[in-house]
Amino acid sequence: MASFFCSTKFFLLLVLLSAVPIAYVIHSEFSEHATHVYAYHSKSFLRECVKWDDLNRRFIVSFFDGGLGVVPVKEDQPFVVLEEIPVVISDLGKNSSLGLVIDRPRNRVVVVFADVFGSKYSAVAAYDLTSWDRIFLTQLSGAGEIGVADDVAVDPVGNAYVTDMKGNKIWKVGANGEFLYTIRSPLFAAKEWYYNLVGLNGIVYHPNGYLLVVHTLSGNLFKVEIGNGDLVKLVKQPDGTMIGDGLELLSPTRLVFAGNPSGLMESLDDWETARIVGKFKGVSHRLVTAATVKDEKVYLSHLFGLGYPKKKHVLVEAVFS
């Protein structure tokens, strides 16, 4: 047996096996997309979250290696490769910038930072959308406490709600950056330990006054009634669950799950129950991490960019079926 692993046959087998995924990636990259795509150049391979800034007609991008950028859209040139412009240079070491949300009434973007691989630091910060000055920075975990801040939602008065992917809890931070308290529930943790390797993740604020948050690996969706003592309910999904990363509210009754594949969920009873009404695969080899809505169309962002020296990232329009 040992001689086989040192043989020419084994080497050729490895070459053959590696050629299959490489061929798939090449085919996917050079095939024509079935839906509209915004492509943009970047200086780094990894991008975590993208949100559409409608007022300023640009995408805001979080850098996995820390910081923020903007991608202005040229509406008269829909197929040109756009350029990413860095606007926030992180001073938080090797911590990643992850989920973000635009807080329009206060003209700012709220973004979370985390030590993704070491789980030794989590924070949330707000930046002015015009000057890009930092308004506040609030540390959420560290000094021996394990946690990974992953995504954030903001309510109408400016409170921020940050998911902890490792600790399966939600941190609540006030409009001025003051830490308020932590929302916990036994429902947040999956029964199987391995599902909790990637726990609470995408989160959105619903205009009816509650939060919707997904547990990634179990696919469980929760409704958190922040006006009712932070009551946590498991949204019943009779048609089954979907692995979800980022969330985006398409309408009061429709919710986008960013994943591989991505999905569209619908609820007709104020999110007491929900069902899957559509799926979209897209360019899954780039790993979908977030969704955003531009001009009533859903666009999916991906973790990986490809190319050298400039790395090309894509935002793919999702058409669910």
Side-chain angles (χ1 to χ4, degrees):
M1 180 62 71
S3 60
F4 171 73
F5 291 111
C6 299
S7 68
T8 302
K9 288 183 179 180
F10 179 67
F11 175 74
L12 293 175
L13 178 62
L14 287 178
V15 171
L16 179 61
L17 291 175
S18 63
V20 173
I22 292 173
Y24 170 75
V25 169
I26 293 174
H27 173 74
S28 299
E29 285 297 308
F30 287 95
S31 297
E32 185 175 349
H33 294 282
T35 61
H36 181 248
V37 174
Y38 285 108
Y40 66 94
H41 283 143
S42 168
K43 293 182 178 180
S44 176
F45 285 111
L46 301 178
R47 293 293 178 260
E48 169 65 17
C49 185
V50 175
K51 294 298 178 184
W52 173 244
D53 179 2
D54 183 65
L55 185 62
N56 296 297
R57 308 305 293 176
R58 62 192 180 186
F59 292 101
I60 301 178
V61 186
S62 65
F63 301 169
F64 199 83
D65 46 355
L68 295 173
V70 296
V71 181
V73 171
K74 300 177 180 179
E75 301 289 2
D76 59 338
Q77 302 178 48
F79 301 106
V80 70
V81 178
L82 306 172
E83 295 294 331
E84 175 188 273
I85 304 170
V87 291
V88 172
I89 307 301
S90 176
D91 57 357
L92 298 176
K94 296 182 179 180
N95 293 297
S96 300
S97 305
L98 301 176
L100 65 90
V101 63
I102 295 173
D103 183 5
R104 182 66 64 199
R106 281 153 285 276
N107 190 47
R108 64 190 187 185
V109 60
V110 182
V111 59
V112 299
F113 293 86
D115 174 15
V116 175
F117 301 109
S119 308
K120 296 179 180 179
Y121 181 86
S122 293
V124 60
Y127 296 89
D128 185 273
L129 282 170
T130 304
S131 67
W132 296 105
D133 291 337
R134 188 160 66 197
I135 300 168
F136 68 75
L137 171 67
T138 304
Q139 185 171 340
L140 301 171
S141 72
E145 180 186 0
I146 293 176
V148 177
D150 193 89
D151 201 6
V152 59
V154 173
D155 67 20
V157 299
N159 295 316
Y161 302 85
V162 180
T163 53
D164 178 5
M165 184 178 68
K166 279 292 185 181
N168 287 316
K169 59 183 180 291
I170 299 172
W171 291 292
K172 183 175 181 179
V173 175
N176 296 316
E178 67 278 19
F179 176 78
L180 298 178
Y181 58 87
T182 302
I183 301 173
R184 303 177 188 270
S185 171
L187 294 177
F188 283 154
K191 294 180 180 179
E192 301 83 354
W193 67 267
Y194 44 86
Y195 281 152
N196 292 311
L197 294 174
V198 184
L200 292 190
N201 199 326
I203 187 170
V204 294
Y205 175 82
H206 193 281
N208 288 349
Y210 50 82
L211 305 172
L212 293 172
V213 57
V214 66
H215 185 286
T216 291
L217 292 184
S218 71
N220 288 334
L221 182 66
F222 301 100
K223 178 179 180 180
V224 183
E225 298 181 354
I226 54 178
N228 185 26
D230 299 322
L231 177 66
V232 177
K233 296 180 179 179
L234 176 66
V235 178
K236 297 177 182 178
Q237 302 179 67
D239 296 336
T241 62
M242 288 191 67
I243 292 177
D245 192 337
L247 298 180
E248 184 75 1
L249 203 61
L250 185 58
S251 75
T253 60
R254 292 200 158 192
L255 180 69
V256 177
F257 274 56
N260 299 273
S262 298
L264 180 64
M265 300 201 76
E266 181 180 61
S267 176
L268 302 178
D269 57 5
D270 205 26
W271 296 97
E272 295 295 314
T273 64
R275 63 188 184 93
I276 301 167
V277 295
K279 294 183 180 181
F280 180 79
K281 185 176 182 182
V283 287
S284 56
H285 64 279
R286 285 179 176 259
L287 193 61
V288 176
T289 55
T292 191
V293 176
K294 177 187 181 292
D295 303 331
E296 300 182 352
K297 296 179 180 180
V298 176
Y299 284 88
L300 302 174
S301 60
H302 304 75
L303 181 62
F304 298 111
L306 298 174
Y308 186 84
K310 289 186 175 181
K311 291 74 177 175
K312 188 170 77 171
H313 294 260
V314 292
L315 304 171
V316 179
E317 180 188 356
V319 177
F320 298 98
S321 61

